[in-house]
Amino acid sequence: MKEKNKSSKTEEKTNVMRVLDSKKISYNHYCYVETGETNGEKVAAILGQDPAYVFKTLVTVAKSGANYVFVIPVKEELDLKKAAKAVGEKSIEMLKAKDLLPLTGYIHGGCSPIGMKKFFKTTIDVSAQSLDKMYVSAGKVGYQIEIAPSDLEKVIRLDYAALTV
């Protein structure tokens, strides 16, 4: 695994990294492409991190047809009722995998809350508020960024709520 603040010519710079660079937001990125791993808890192990610091990005669709993004620790499960309540909807369900790329520009296992095709209301699990750093996908399978939650708030509009089962 490689850790760098700036990419070398051999590493790919993702759109997420370009967005953060353009806004002069501090982050570290990690590349583990060679593993092909997408399981969040296994990614946390590759990063050598407690899974409570590593977050997955989930995209949902509400009964109203609106889409919402939820960011929760990888070892947790999204509570759909809590999530719906957090965004003021009666009910929500997970977006079908086939709809993820056309909607967000990201594929399953590489979805980031930063740099989607368009902005969707984003809610992060309240557990992130007490962290000095968190890890989220850098927008491609095999890439993660480490960022302070307070810096993430400078890049995307977000709310915090209790979201897990």
Side-chain angles (χ1 to χ4, degrees):
M1 177 184 58
K2 298 176 185 169
E3 173 189 348
K4 293 186 170 258
N5 222 356
K6 299 289 180 200
S7 291
S8 68
K9 290 187 188 287
T10 58
E11 277 188 34
E12 190 173 342
K13 185 163 281 236
T14 69
N15 188 46
V16 170
M17 294 174 208
R18 285 190 284 278
V19 168
L20 294 171
D21 289 345
S22 74
K23 295 187 179 289
K24 299 186 179 2
I25 301 291
S26 177
Y27 68 94
N28 288 311
H29 78 267
Y30 301 85
C31 176
Y32 52 94
V33 171
E34 65 283 352
T35 70
E37 191 56 65
T38 59
N39 174 281
E41 289 188 68
K42 290 180 181 175
V43 168
I46 291 167
L47 295 173
Q49 294 297 319
D50 180 329
Y53 287 85
V54 182
F55 286 69
K56 57 188 170 186
T57 303
L58 305 172
V59 183
T60 63
V61 60
K63 193 170 188 172
S64 68
N67 294 103
Y68 298 95
V69 175
F70 296 96
V71 182
I72 64 171
V74 294
K75 67 179 181 177
E76 303 294 336
E77 186 180 330
L78 182 65
D79 183 315
L80 294 174
K81 288 183 180 183
K82 288 180 184 176
K85 183 178 178 185
V87 295
E89 291 280 356
K90 288 187 192 264
S91 67
I92 60 167
E93 60 185 42
M94 295 303 300
L95 187 72
K96 290 180 177 32
K98 69 178 178 59
D99 297 329
L100 188 62
L101 180 61
L103 183 70
T104 67
Y106 292 129
I107 62 168
H108 178 75
C111 190
S112 178
I114 302 167
M116 290 190 182
K117 283 183 173 181
K118 67 182 226 180
F119 176 78
F120 300 104
K121 181 173 178 61
T122 302
T123 307
I124 297 181
D125 188 70
V126 70
S127 65
Q129 281 185 298
S130 63
L131 302 177
D132 58 339
K133 65 181 179 180
M134 64 188 292
Y135 296 79
V136 296
S137 174
K140 290 195 180 224
V141 173
Y143 290 86
Q144 291 277 314
I145 59 161
E146 172 190 331
I147 188 168
S150 58
D151 284 336
L152 188 57
E153 292 177 34
K154 295 173 186 172
V155 183
I156 58 171
R157 294 183 315 275
L158 58 89
D159 293 312
Y160 290 97
L163 297 172
T164 59
V165 173

PDB file of all heavy atoms in Angstrom, residues 108-146:
ATOM      1  N   HIS A 108     -19.946   0.511  -7.809  1.00  0.00           N
ATOM      2  CA  HIS A 108     -19.999  -0.131  -6.497  1.00  0.00           C
ATOM      3  C   HIS A 108     -18.576  -0.452  -6.044  1.00  0.00           C
ATOM      4  O   HIS A 108     -17.785  -0.993  -6.800  1.00  0.00           O
ATOM      5  CB  HIS A 108     -20.837  -1.412  -6.571  1.00  0.00           C
ATOM      6  CG  HIS A 108     -20.903  -2.147  -5.286  1.00  0.00           C
ATOM      7  ND1 HIS A 108     -21.675  -1.717  -4.232  1.00  0.00           N
ATOM      8  CD2 HIS A 108     -20.261  -3.253  -4.861  1.00  0.00           C
ATOM      9  CE1 HIS A 108     -21.513  -2.546  -3.221  1.00  0.00           C
ATOM     10  NE2 HIS A 108     -20.665  -3.498  -3.583  1.00  0.00           N
ATOM     11  N   GLY A 109     -18.258  -0.079  -4.810  1.00  0.00           N
ATOM     12  CA  GLY A 109     -16.917  -0.298  -4.276  1.00  0.00           C
ATOM     13  C   GLY A 109     -15.994   0.878  -4.489  1.00  0.00           C
ATOM     14  O   GLY A 109     -14.885   0.906  -3.967  1.00  0.00           O
ATOM     15  N   GLY A 110     -16.440   1.869  -5.246  1.00  0.00           N
ATOM     16  CA  GLY A 110     -15.621   3.058  -5.503  1.00  0.00           C
ATOM     17  C   GLY A 110     -16.425   4.330  -5.414  1.00  0.00           C
ATOM     18  O   GLY A 110     -16.070   5.350  -5.996  1.00  0.00           O
ATOM     19  N   CYS A 111     -17.532   4.290  -4.696  1.00  0.00           N
ATOM     20  CA  CYS A 111     -18.428   5.447  -4.588  1.00  0.00           C
ATOM     21  C   CYS A 111     -17.957   6.357  -3.462  1.00  0.00           C
ATOM     22  O   CYS A 111     -17.756   5.918  -2.339  1.00  0.00           O
ATOM     23  CB  CYS A 111     -19.854   4.969  -4.338  1.00  0.00           C
ATOM     24  SG  CYS A 111     -21.080   6.279  -4.464  1.00  0.00           S
ATOM     25  N   SER A 112     -17.780   7.618  -3.772  1.00  0.00           N
ATOM     26  CA  SER A 112     -17.328   8.620  -2.800  1.00  0.00           C
ATOM     27  C   SER A 112     -18.403   9.689  -2.622  1.00  0.00           C
ATOM     28  O   SER A 112     -19.119  10.006  -3.565  1.00  0.00           O
ATOM     29  CB  SER A 112     -16.040   9.283  -3.298  1.00  0.00           C
ATOM     30  OG  SER A 112     -15.614  10.277  -2.390  1.00  0.00           O
ATOM     31  N   PRO A 113     -18.491  10.270  -1.424  1.00  0.00           N
ATOM     32  CA  PRO A 113     -19.445  11.370  -1.248  1.00  0.00           C
ATOM     33  C   PRO A 113     -18.980  12.650  -1.947  1.00  0.00           C
ATOM     34  O   PRO A 113     -19.744  13.591  -2.106  1.00  0.00           O
ATOM     35  CB  PRO A 113     -19.495  11.561   0.272  1.00  0.00           C
ATOM     36  CG  PRO A 113     -18.177  11.058   0.768  1.00  0.00           C
ATOM     37  CD  PRO A 113     -17.799   9.939  -0.176  1.00  0.00           C
ATOM     38  N   ILE A 114     -17.722  12.675  -2.378  1.00  0.00           N
ATOM     39  CA  ILE A 114     -17.137  13.847  -3.047  1.00  0.00           C
ATOM     40  C   ILE A 114     -17.127  13.612  -4.553  1.00  0.00           C
ATOM     41  O   ILE A 114     -16.727  12.539  -5.013  1.00  0.00           O
ATOM     42  CB  ILE A 114     -15.690  14.075  -2.565  1.00  0.00           C
ATOM     43  CG1 ILE A 114     -15.634  14.263  -1.060  1.00  0.00           C
ATOM     44  CG2 ILE A 114     -15.055  15.272  -3.278  1.00  0.00           C
ATOM     45  CD1 ILE A 114     -14.238  14.188  -0.473  1.00  0.00           C
ATOM     46  N   GLY A 115     -17.554  14.605  -5.322  1.00  0.00           N
ATOM     47  CA  GLY A 115     -17.381  14.561  -6.769  1.00  0.00           C
ATOM     48  C   GLY A 115     -18.391  13.764  -7.558  1.00  0.00           C
ATOM     49  O   GLY A 115     -18.100  13.339  -8.675  1.00  0.00           O
ATOM     50  N   MET A 116     -19.577  13.557  -7.009  1.00  0.00           N
ATOM     51  CA  MET A 116     -20.614  12.867  -7.794  1.00  0.00           C
ATOM     52  C   MET A 116     -21.042  13.764  -8.948  1.00  0.00           C
ATOM     53  O   MET A 116     -20.811  14.968  -8.922  1.00  0.00           O
ATOM     54  CB  MET A 116     -21.813  12.539  -6.904  1.00  0.00           C
ATOM     55  CG  MET A 116     -21.527  11.462  -5.895  1.00  0.00           C
ATOM     56  SD  MET A 116     -23.044  10.923  -5.079  1.00  0.00           S
ATOM     57  CE  MET A 116     -22.364   9.728  -3.939  1.00  0.00           C
ATOM     58  N   LYS A 117     -21.695  13.163  -9.948  1.00  0.00           N
ATOM     59  CA  LYS A 117     -22.146  13.917 -11.122  1.00  0.00           C
ATOM     60  C   LYS A 117     -22.967  15.141 -10.736  1.00  0.00           C
ATOM     61  O   LYS A 117     -22.888  16.177 -11.367  1.00  0.00           O
ATOM     62  CB  LYS A 117     -22.985  13.030 -12.040  1.00  0.00           C
ATOM     63  CG  LYS A 117     -22.183  12.080 -12.879  1.00  0.00           C
ATOM     64  CD  LYS A 117     -23.130  11.322 -13.799  1.00  0.00           C
ATOM     65  CE  LYS A 117     -22.381  10.476 -14.784  1.00  0.00           C
ATOM     66  NZ  LYS A 117     -23.290   9.759 -15.680  1.00  0.00           N
ATOM     67  N   LYS A 118     -23.801  14.985  -9.707  1.00  0.00           N
ATOM     68  CA  LYS A 118     -24.545  16.119  -9.177  1.00  0.00           C
ATOM     69  C   LYS A 118     -24.646  15.942  -7.666  1.00  0.00           C
ATOM     70  O   LYS A 118     -24.401  14.854  -7.147  1.00  0.00           O
ATOM     71  CB  LYS A 118     -25.912  16.277  -9.831  1.00  0.00           C
ATOM     72  CG  LYS A 118     -26.912  15.186  -9.548  1.00  0.00           C
ATOM     73  CD  LYS A 118     -28.200  15.450 -10.307  1.00  0.00           C
ATOM     74  CE  LYS A 118     -29.386  15.250  -9.393  1.00  0.00           C
ATOM     75  NZ  LYS A 118     -30.654  15.477  -9.993  1.00  0.00           N
ATOM     76  N   PHE A 119     -24.983  17.012  -6.976  1.00  0.00           N
ATOM     77  CA  PHE A 119     -25.029  16.935  -5.525  1.00  0.00           C
ATOM     78  C   PHE A 119     -26.339  16.309  -5.056  1.00  0.00           C
ATOM     79  O   PHE A 119     -27.411  16.643  -5.552  1.00  0.00           O
ATOM     80  CB  PHE A 119     -24.891  18.324  -4.889  1.00  0.00           C
ATOM     81  CG  PHE A 119     -25.024  18.265  -3.401  1.00  0.00           C
ATOM     82  CD1 PHE A 119     -23.969  17.826  -2.617  1.00  0.00           C
ATOM     83  CD2 PHE A 119     -26.218  18.590  -2.782  1.00  0.00           C
ATOM     84  CE1 PHE A 119     -24.096  17.715  -1.243  1.00  0.00           C
ATOM     85  CE2 PHE A 119     -26.354  18.487  -1.398  1.00  0.00           C
ATOM     86  CZ  PHE A 119     -25.291  18.052  -0.631  1.00  0.00           C
ATOM     87  N   PHE A 120     -26.222  15.398  -4.111  1.00  0.00           N
ATOM     88  CA  PHE A 120     -27.383  14.812  -3.444  1.00  0.00           C
ATOM     89  C   PHE A 120     -27.246  15.113  -1.958  1.00  0.00           C
ATOM     90  O   PHE A 120     -26.130  15.132  -1.432  1.00  0.00           O
ATOM     91  CB  PHE A 120     -27.432  13.289  -3.663  1.00  0.00           C
ATOM     92  CG  PHE A 120     -27.522  12.904  -5.105  1.00  0.00           C
ATOM     93  CD1 PHE A 120     -26.409  12.422  -5.778  1.00  0.00           C
ATOM     94  CD2 PHE A 120     -28.711  13.041  -5.810  1.00  0.00           C
ATOM     95  CE1 PHE A 120     -26.480  12.080  -7.128  1.00  0.00           C
ATOM     96  CE2 PHE A 120     -28.789  12.700  -7.150  1.00  0.00           C
ATOM     97  CZ  PHE A 120     -27.676  12.225  -7.808  1.00  0.00           C
ATOM     98  N   LYS A 121     -28.375  15.323  -1.304  1.00  0.00           N
ATOM     99  CA  LYS A 121     -28.336  15.559   0.140  1.00  0.00           C
ATOM    100  C   LYS A 121     -27.530  14.428   0.781  1.00  0.00           C
ATOM    101  O   LYS A 121     -27.816  13.256   0.559  1.00  0.00           O
ATOM    102  CB  LYS A 121     -29.746  15.611   0.712  1.00  0.00           C
ATOM    103  CG  LYS A 121     -29.774  15.888   2.214  1.00  0.00           C
ATOM    104  CD  LYS A 121     -31.200  16.103   2.702  1.00  0.00           C
ATOM    105  CE  LYS A 121     -31.277  16.329   4.183  1.00  0.00           C
ATOM    106  NZ  LYS A 121     -30.592  17.464   4.699  1.00  0.00           N
ATOM    107  N   THR A 122     -26.524  14.798   1.549  1.00  0.00           N
ATOM    108  CA  THR A 122     -25.606  13.837   2.135  1.00  0.00           C
ATOM    109  C   THR A 122     -25.671  13.897   3.653  1.00  0.00           C
ATOM    110  O   THR A 122     -25.585  14.971   4.243  1.00  0.00           O
ATOM    111  CB  THR A 122     -24.163  14.122   1.657  1.00  0.00           C
ATOM    112  OG1 THR A 122     -24.142  14.048   0.226  1.00  0.00           O
ATOM    113  CG2 THR A 122     -23.180  13.123   2.238  1.00  0.00           C
ATOM    114  N   THR A 123     -25.834  12.741   4.267  1.00  0.00           N
ATOM    115  CA  THR A 123     -25.892  12.630   5.727  1.00  0.00           C
ATOM    116  C   THR A 123     -24.835  11.630   6.162  1.00  0.00           C
ATOM    117  O   THR A 123     -24.742  10.528   5.615  1.00  0.00           O
ATOM    118  CB  THR A 123     -27.289  12.174   6.189  1.00  0.00           C
ATOM    119  OG1 THR A 123     -28.274  13.052   5.622  1.00  0.00           O
ATOM    120  CG2 THR A 123     -27.399  12.206   7.705  1.00  0.00           C
ATOM    121  N   ILE A 124     -24.051  12.037   7.146  1.00  0.00           N
ATOM    122  CA  ILE A 124     -22.984  11.193   7.672  1.00  0.00           C
ATOM    123  C   ILE A 124     -23.376  10.735   9.064  1.00  0.00           C
ATOM    124  O   ILE A 124     -23.954  11.500   9.853  1.00  0.00           O
ATOM    125  CB  ILE A 124     -21.650  11.965   7.701  1.00  0.00           C
ATOM    126  CG1 ILE A 124     -21.255  12.328   6.263  1.00  0.00           C
ATOM    127  CG2 ILE A 124     -20.547  11.154   8.380  1.00  0.00           C
ATOM    128  CD1 ILE A 124     -19.962  13.077   6.134  1.00  0.00           C
ATOM    129  N   ASP A 125     -23.042   9.488   9.378  1.00  0.00           N
ATOM    130  CA  ASP A 125     -23.352   8.965  10.698  1.00  0.00           C
ATOM    131  C   ASP A 125     -22.708   9.846  11.765  1.00  0.00           C
ATOM    132  O   ASP A 125     -21.560  10.276  11.630  1.00  0.00           O
ATOM    133  CB  ASP A 125     -22.870   7.522  10.843  1.00  0.00           C
ATOM    134  CG  ASP A 125     -23.363   6.913  12.142  1.00  0.00           C
ATOM    135  OD1 ASP A 125     -24.583   6.672  12.244  1.00  0.00           O
ATOM    136  OD2 ASP A 125     -22.539   6.722  13.054  1.00  0.00           O
ATOM    137  N   VAL A 126     -23.462  10.081  12.820  1.00  0.00           N
ATOM    138  CA  VAL A 126     -23.047  10.970  13.899  1.00  0.00           C
ATOM    139  C   VAL A 126     -21.713  10.542  14.533  1.00  0.00           C
ATOM    140  O   VAL A 126     -20.995  11.370  15.087  1.00  0.00           O
ATOM    141  CB  VAL A 126     -24.184  11.083  14.946  1.00  0.00           C
ATOM    142  CG1 VAL A 126     -24.355   9.787  15.713  1.00  0.00           C
ATOM    143  CG2 VAL A 126     -23.981  12.250  15.870  1.00  0.00           C
ATOM    144  N   SER A 127     -21.358   9.273  14.405  1.00  0.00           N
ATOM    145  CA  SER A 127     -20.096   8.797  14.981  1.00  0.00           C
ATOM    146  C   SER A 127     -18.883   9.522  14.396  1.00  0.00           C
ATOM    147  O   SER A 127     -17.834   9.618  15.043  1.00  0.00           O
ATOM    148  CB  SER A 127     -19.950   7.282  14.781  1.00  0.00           C
ATOM    149  OG  SER A 127     -19.847   6.968  13.403  1.00  0.00           O
ATOM    150  N   ALA A 128     -18.998  10.051  13.183  1.00  0.00           N
ATOM    151  CA  ALA A 128     -17.876  10.746  12.545  1.00  0.00           C
ATOM    152  C   ALA A 128     -17.559  12.076  13.224  1.00  0.00           C
ATOM    153  O   ALA A 128     -16.426  12.548  13.156  1.00  0.00           O
ATOM    154  CB  ALA A 128     -18.166  10.973  11.066  1.00  0.00           C
ATOM    155  N   GLN A 129     -18.544  12.670  13.868  1.00  0.00           N
ATOM    156  CA  GLN A 129     -18.337  13.988  14.485  1.00  0.00           C
ATOM    157  C   GLN A 129     -17.248  13.977  15.550  1.00  0.00           C
ATOM    158  O   GLN A 129     -16.588  14.988  15.756  1.00  0.00           O
ATOM    159  CB  GLN A 129     -19.631  14.513  15.100  1.00  0.00           C
ATOM    160  CG  GLN A 129     -20.562  15.106  14.077  1.00  0.00           C
ATOM    161  CD  GLN A 129     -21.777  15.730  14.734  1.00  0.00           C
ATOM    162  OE1 GLN A 129     -22.555  15.048  15.395  1.00  0.00           O
ATOM    163  NE2 GLN A 129     -21.933  17.015  14.540  1.00  0.00           N
ATOM    164  N   SER A 130     -17.053  12.855  16.215  1.00  0.00           N
ATOM    165  CA  SER A 130     -16.059  12.796  17.282  1.00  0.00           C
ATOM    166  C   SER A 130     -14.677  12.362  16.781  1.00  0.00           C
ATOM    167  O   SER A 130     -13.737  12.269  17.561  1.00  0.00           O
ATOM    168  CB  SER A 130     -16.523  11.839  18.380  1.00  0.00           C
ATOM    169  OG  SER A 130     -16.631  10.528  17.852  1.00  0.00           O
ATOM    170  N   LEU A 131     -14.549  12.092  15.482  1.00  0.00           N
ATOM    171  CA  LEU A 131     -13.279  11.613  14.929  1.00  0.00           C
ATOM    172  C   LEU A 131     -12.414  12.766  14.439  1.00  0.00           C
ATOM    173  O   LEU A 131     -12.927  13.763  13.931  1.00  0.00           O
ATOM    174  CB  LEU A 131     -13.544  10.655  13.762  1.00  0.00           C
ATOM    175  CG  LEU A 131     -14.396   9.417  14.052  1.00  0.00           C
ATOM    176  CD1 LEU A 131     -14.610   8.620  12.779  1.00  0.00           C
ATOM    177  CD2 LEU A 131     -13.764   8.563  15.138  1.00  0.00           C
ATOM    178  N   ASP A 132     -11.104  12.593  14.580  1.00  0.00           N
ATOM    179  CA  ASP A 132     -10.188  13.592  14.029  1.00  0.00           C
ATOM    180  C   ASP A 132      -9.898  13.305  12.558  1.00  0.00           C
ATOM    181  O   ASP A 132      -9.476  14.175  11.812  1.00  0.00           O
ATOM    182  CB  ASP A 132      -8.887  13.655  14.830  1.00  0.00           C
ATOM    183  CG  ASP A 132      -8.150  12.319  14.888  1.00  0.00           C
ATOM    184  OD1 ASP A 132      -8.784  11.272  14.668  1.00  0.00           O
ATOM    185  OD2 ASP A 132      -6.932  12.321  15.162  1.00  0.00           O
ATOM    186  N   LYS A 133     -10.135  12.059  12.142  1.00  0.00           N
ATOM    187  CA  LYS A 133      -9.937  11.675  10.745  1.00  0.00           C
ATOM    188  C   LYS A 133     -10.926  10.571  10.409  1.00  0.00           C
ATOM    189  O   LYS A 133     -11.402   9.855  11.288  1.00  0.00           O
ATOM    190  CB  LYS A 133      -8.516  11.182  10.508  1.00  0.00           C
ATOM    191  CG  LYS A 133      -8.211   9.900  11.276  1.00  0.00           C
ATOM    192  CD  LYS A 133      -6.807   9.397  11.075  1.00  0.00           C
ATOM    193  CE  LYS A 133      -6.576   8.139  11.886  1.00  0.00           C
ATOM    194  NZ  LYS A 133      -5.227   7.617  11.730  1.00  0.00           N
ATOM    195  N   MET A 134     -11.222  10.471   9.124  1.00  0.00           N
ATOM    196  CA  MET A 134     -12.062   9.389   8.626  1.00  0.00           C
ATOM    197  C   MET A 134     -11.563   9.020   7.239  1.00  0.00           C
ATOM    198  O   MET A 134     -10.867   9.802   6.592  1.00  0.00           O
ATOM    199  CB  MET A 134     -13.544   9.798   8.603  1.00  0.00           C
ATOM    200  CG  MET A 134     -13.867  10.928   7.666  1.00  0.00           C
ATOM    201  SD  MET A 134     -15.553  11.573   7.802  1.00  0.00           S
ATOM    202  CE  MET A 134     -16.526  10.225   7.187  1.00  0.00           C
ATOM    203  N   TYR A 135     -11.906   7.829   6.818  1.00  0.00           N
ATOM    204  CA  TYR A 135     -11.501   7.344   5.505  1.00  0.00           C
ATOM    205  C   TYR A 135     -12.748   7.121   4.666  1.00  0.00           C
ATOM    206  O   TYR A 135     -13.709   6.520   5.131  1.00  0.00           O
ATOM    207  CB  TYR A 135     -10.741   6.019   5.631  1.00  0.00           C
ATOM    208  CG  TYR A 135      -9.444   6.158   6.394  1.00  0.00           C
ATOM    209  CD1 TYR A 135      -9.448   6.222   7.779  1.00  0.00           C
ATOM    210  CD2 TYR A 135      -8.228   6.241   5.724  1.00  0.00           C
ATOM    211  CE1 TYR A 135      -8.261   6.368   8.492  1.00  0.00           C
ATOM    212  CE2 TYR A 135      -7.041   6.382   6.428  1.00  0.00           C
ATOM    213  CZ  TYR A 135      -7.065   6.444   7.805  1.00  0.00           C
ATOM    214  OH  TYR A 135      -5.889   6.596   8.497  1.00  0.00           O
ATOM    215  N   VAL A 136     -12.715   7.629   3.435  1.00  0.00           N
ATOM    216  CA  VAL A 136     -13.798   7.390   2.478  1.00  0.00           C
ATOM    217  C   VAL A 136     -13.168   7.051   1.133  1.00  0.00           C
ATOM    218  O   VAL A 136     -11.989   7.345   0.901  1.00  0.00           O
ATOM    219  CB  VAL A 136     -14.759   8.600   2.327  1.00  0.00           C
ATOM    220  CG1 VAL A 136     -15.489   8.893   3.624  1.00  0.00           C
ATOM    221  CG2 VAL A 136     -14.037   9.834   1.823  1.00  0.00           C
ATOM    222  N   SER A 137     -13.948   6.475   0.264  1.00  0.00           N
ATOM    223  CA  SER A 137     -13.448   6.143  -1.061  1.00  0.00           C
ATOM    224  C   SER A 137     -12.969   7.397  -1.772  1.00  0.00           C
ATOM    225  O   SER A 137     -13.571   8.465  -1.671  1.00  0.00           O
ATOM    226  CB  SER A 137     -14.545   5.480  -1.896  1.00  0.00           C
ATOM    227  OG  SER A 137     -14.086   5.284  -3.223  1.00  0.00           O
ATOM    228  N   ALA A 138     -11.882   7.225  -2.518  1.00  0.00           N
ATOM    229  CA  ALA A 138     -11.358   8.320  -3.336  1.00  0.00           C
ATOM    230  C   ALA A 138     -11.971   8.298  -4.733  1.00  0.00           C
ATOM    231  O   ALA A 138     -11.505   8.990  -5.629  1.00  0.00           O
ATOM    232  CB  ALA A 138      -9.840   8.251  -3.418  1.00  0.00           C
ATOM    233  N   GLY A 139     -13.032   7.507  -4.916  1.00  0.00           N
ATOM    234  CA  GLY A 139     -13.768   7.533  -6.174  1.00  0.00           C
ATOM    235  C   GLY A 139     -13.422   6.439  -7.161  1.00  0.00           C
ATOM    236  O   GLY A 139     -13.966   6.406  -8.259  1.00  0.00           O
ATOM    237  N   LYS A 140     -12.524   5.547  -6.772  1.00  0.00           N
ATOM    238  CA  LYS A 140     -12.183   4.390  -7.607  1.00  0.00           C
ATOM    239  C   LYS A 140     -11.902   3.225  -6.683  1.00  0.00           C
ATOM    240  O   LYS A 140     -11.400   3.406  -5.576  1.00  0.00           O
ATOM    241  CB  LYS A 140     -10.935   4.657  -8.454  1.00  0.00           C
ATOM    242  CG  LYS A 140     -11.183   5.667  -9.545  1.00  0.00           C
ATOM    243  CD  LYS A 140     -10.078   5.647 -10.568  1.00  0.00           C
ATOM    244  CE  LYS A 140     -10.425   6.684 -11.611  1.00  0.00           C
ATOM    245  NZ  LYS A 140     -10.230   6.263 -12.930  1.00  0.00           N
ATOM    246  N   VAL A 141     -12.208   2.033  -7.157  1.00  0.00           N
ATOM    247  CA  VAL A 141     -11.903   0.829  -6.380  1.00  0.00           C
ATOM    248  C   VAL A 141     -10.394   0.797  -6.151  1.00  0.00           C
ATOM    249  O   VAL A 141      -9.614   0.989  -7.087  1.00  0.00           O
ATOM    250  CB  VAL A 141     -12.383  -0.440  -7.110  1.00  0.00           C
ATOM    251  CG1 VAL A 141     -11.912  -1.690  -6.393  1.00  0.00           C
ATOM    252  CG2 VAL A 141     -13.902  -0.446  -7.237  1.00  0.00           C
ATOM    253  N   GLY A 142      -9.994   0.596  -4.900  1.00  0.00           N
ATOM    254  CA  GLY A 142      -8.578   0.506  -4.577  1.00  0.00           C
ATOM    255  C   GLY A 142      -7.946   1.810  -4.139  1.00  0.00           C
ATOM    256  O   GLY A 142      -6.731   1.886  -3.956  1.00  0.00           O
ATOM    257  N   TYR A 143      -8.751   2.854  -3.972  1.00  0.00           N
ATOM    258  CA  TYR A 143      -8.242   4.148  -3.517  1.00  0.00           C
ATOM    259  C   TYR A 143      -9.107   4.662  -2.370  1.00  0.00           C
ATOM    260  O   TYR A 143     -10.342   4.646  -2.466  1.00  0.00           O
ATOM    261  CB  TYR A 143      -8.288   5.186  -4.639  1.00  0.00           C
ATOM    262  CG  TYR A 143      -7.300   4.951  -5.755  1.00  0.00           C
ATOM    263  CD1 TYR A 143      -7.612   4.110  -6.815  1.00  0.00           C
ATOM    264  CD2 TYR A 143      -6.060   5.578  -5.744  1.00  0.00           C
ATOM    265  CE1 TYR A 143      -6.708   3.892  -7.841  1.00  0.00           C
ATOM    266  CE2 TYR A 143      -5.148   5.367  -6.772  1.00  0.00           C
ATOM    267  CZ  TYR A 143      -5.482   4.528  -7.824  1.00  0.00           C
ATOM    268  OH  TYR A 143      -4.593   4.315  -8.833  1.00  0.00           O
ATOM    269  N   GLN A 144      -8.460   5.122  -1.312  1.00  0.00           N
ATOM    270  CA  GLN A 144      -9.153   5.735  -0.184  1.00  0.00           C
ATOM    271  C   GLN A 144      -8.470   7.058   0.143  1.00  0.00           C
ATOM    272  O   GLN A 144      -7.263   7.217  -0.105  1.00  0.00           O
ATOM    273  CB  GLN A 144      -9.059   4.853   1.073  1.00  0.00           C
ATOM    274  CG  GLN A 144      -9.839   3.560   0.997  1.00  0.00           C
ATOM    275  CD  GLN A 144     -11.294   3.733   1.347  1.00  0.00           C
ATOM    276  OE1 GLN A 144     -11.643   4.373   2.325  1.00  0.00           O
ATOM    277  NE2 GLN A 144     -12.161   3.136   0.552  1.00  0.00           N
ATOM    278  N   ILE A 145      -9.238   7.973   0.698  1.00  0.00           N
ATOM    279  CA  ILE A 145      -8.628   9.195   1.236  1.00  0.00           C
ATOM    280  C   ILE A 145      -8.872   9.244   2.729  1.00  0.00           C
ATOM    281  O   ILE A 145      -9.887   8.749   3.222  1.00  0.00           O
ATOM    282  CB  ILE A 145      -9.166  10.490   0.576  1.00  0.00           C
ATOM    283  CG1 ILE A 145     -10.676  10.621   0.757  1.00  0.00           C
ATOM    284  CG2 ILE A 145      -8.732  10.594  -0.869  1.00  0.00           C
ATOM    285  CD1 ILE A 145     -11.210  12.014   0.560  1.00  0.00           C
ATOM    286  N   GLU A 146      -7.932   9.835   3.421  1.00  0.00           N
ATOM    287  CA  GLU A 146      -8.053  10.127   4.847  1.00  0.00           C
ATOM    288  C   GLU A 146      -8.272  11.631   4.942  1.00  0.00           C
ATOM    289  O   GLU A 146      -7.494  12.415   4.379  1.00  0.00           O
ATOM    290  CB  GLU A 146      -6.759   9.739   5.557  1.00  0.00           C
ATOM    291  CG  GLU A 146      -6.685  10.161   7.002  1.00  0.00           C
ATOM    292  CD  GLU A 146      -5.282   9.968   7.567  1.00  0.00           C
ATOM    293  OE1 GLU A 146      -4.555   9.068   7.110  1.00  0.00           O
ATOM    294  OE2 GLU A 146      -4.920  10.746   8.464  1.00  0.00           O
TER     295      GLU A 146
END
